[in-house]
Amino acid sequence: MKKKLAALLLCAALVLTFLPAAAAAASSGLEAWKADDSSTFVHPGETAVMIVDAYTNAPGELTYAWYFYNEETWDYEPVEGETGSTLEAVNVRKMLSYRCDVSDSSGATCQVYFGVNLNNKLNAYAENDNDYILVYPGEDALLSVVVEGLDLEGVTYSWRDDNYNTIDGASSACYTVENVTSPAEYCCTVNDAYGTSCYVYFYVGVENEFSAEAEEEAVSVEPGENAVLKVNVTANNMTGVSYTWYDADYNVIEGAVGADYTVENVTGYSNYHCSVDDGYGNSQTVYFFISVNNDFY
């Protein structure tokens, strides 16, 4: 519970940084806020500058006391020797949180919060923009990520499969999908040492050089005759090819699982189609139109 409360306090401090933090003491009219010329968004190794502007009706000078948030003690602790309206955090290497207590001679106090945020300019993308990869059945697919940023020390990688499960042992910028037999998606999460994350997505498909077409799309028969519908399929690997036939109402025709289908006793015009799958995630739909030649003039 204590850790959760500390985390909430830290989040609140960071949120207040982006607001024109101002608090007023009713007795003296004391107000204090983050100055516009503060610089709290910095790159790794740079200096963050926190400046407080304040106003009071009370006589005398204002006093300033600075505090930093200690993640180990979950509390704000004094910054020794800092008593002015400006505080500098040098060589910033992580996100930081500070608080400045401003007081006047009437005893009124206002608190101003600052959050120091890092911009590492982290960017990640598929090498050669190759995020759509096709391989032949049984081949391997190499997925590779390129990362850019100001400071890449401490960058980590984690890979997830098509079911968004973490892939054990996959912790580098490259991952090899072995023996590809079906299409799948993969995701690489790139994290830097400053809390920034990038996501790179890949699609791996199977190139079976698959094609399906009707031997004859428009079939004409005499009334009462049978119409034979046939699909011609070509592919590198035909072992997994399957056929599903549908009637004019898009209902699956039970038992029609081959490349041919015979429509018996044709008495009128009708449409049929066949969905062909090669077993590697590739599919095509072939359409047929049956007409009746009754020599009617």
Side-chain angles (χ1 to χ4, degrees):
M1 182 65 185
K2 189 174 181 182
K3 290 185 177 180
K4 291 183 178 179
L5 179 59
L8 291 173
L9 289 173
L10 177 57
C11 290
L14 294 177
V15 170
L16 286 171
T17 300
F18 306 106
L19 302 175
S27 59
S28 64
L30 175 64
E31 296 181 0
W33 60 91
K34 173 185 173 181
D36 291 340
D37 51 350
S38 295
S39 176
T40 54
F41 287 88
V42 296
H43 298 147
E46 291 184 344
T47 297
V49 180
M50 292 156 280
I51 305 173
V52 174
D53 283 342
Y55 169 82
T56 183
N57 291 320
E61 296 183 353
L62 297 172
T63 61
Y64 303 86
W66 289 89
Y67 301 84
F68 74 95
Y69 184 80
N70 189 327
E71 295 178 353
E72 295 182 358
T73 61
W74 309 316
D75 200 1
Y76 283 91
E77 299 180 1
V79 180
E80 301 296 338
E82 297 293 342
T83 58
S85 62
T86 299
L87 176 68
E88 292 187 353
V90 299
N91 192 27
V92 176
R93 293 292 176 181
K94 65 178 182 178
M95 295 179 65
L96 303 169
S97 180
Y98 290 87
R99 188 187 83 213
C100 182
D101 291 359
V102 184
S103 304
D104 62 16
S105 60
S106 72
T109 299
C110 289
Q111 294 179 332
V112 183
Y113 292 88
F114 294 84
V116 177
N117 299 275
L118 282 170
N119 180 8
N120 192 28
K121 293 187 176 181
L122 184 69
N123 185 34
Y125 52 90
E127 186 174 14
N128 298 322
D129 290 327
N130 189 20
D131 56 2
Y132 187 93
I133 301 172
L134 291 176
V135 296
Y136 289 107
E139 289 187 345
D140 297 343
L142 176 63
L143 318 182
S144 184
V145 173
V146 176
V147 178
E148 299 172 342
L150 298 176
D151 183 0
L152 298 183
E153 184 176 353
V155 167
T156 61
Y157 306 85
S158 62
W159 291 83
R160 295 182 182 272
D161 62 19
D162 204 34
N163 296 317
Y164 214 65
N165 296 316
T166 299
I167 302 174
D168 293 335
S171 57
S172 68
C174 298
Y175 174 68
T176 299
V177 184
E178 299 179 346
N179 188 29
V180 176
T181 57
S182 61
E185 294 182 351
Y186 295 85
C187 175
C188 180
T189 302
V190 182
N191 296 297
D192 67 9
Y194 308 107
T196 305
S197 300
C198 290
Y199 304 90
V200 184
Y201 296 90
F202 294 86
Y203 175 83
V204 177
V206 181
E207 178 54 86
N208 195 26
E209 297 186 0
F210 166 71
S211 177
E213 59 183 14
E215 184 170 281
E216 186 178 1
E217 293 182 2
V219 179
S220 180
V221 297
E222 300 297 326
E225 288 187 346
N226 297 338
V228 178
L229 313 181
K230 185 174 182 180
V231 177
N232 293 327
V233 176
T234 59
N236 287 336
N237 191 325
M238 295 285 292
T239 57
V241 173
S242 62
Y243 305 84
T244 305
W245 289 86
Y246 299 82
D247 62 21
D249 296 322
Y250 292 87
N251 297 314
V252 175
I253 303 173
E254 298 295 335
V257 293
D260 301 345
Y261 176 68
T262 300
V263 182
E264 298 179 346
N265 189 27
V266 176
T267 58
Y269 297 94
S270 59
N271 298 298
Y272 290 80
H273 67 274
C274 180
S275 178
V276 187
D277 190 291
D278 73 344
Y280 295 104
N282 304 305
S283 63
Q284 292 186 14
T285 301
V286 182
Y287 295 90
F288 297 87
F289 175 72
I290 301 175
S291 61
V292 178
N293 181 16
N294 59 4
D295 295 326
F296 176 75
Y297 296 97

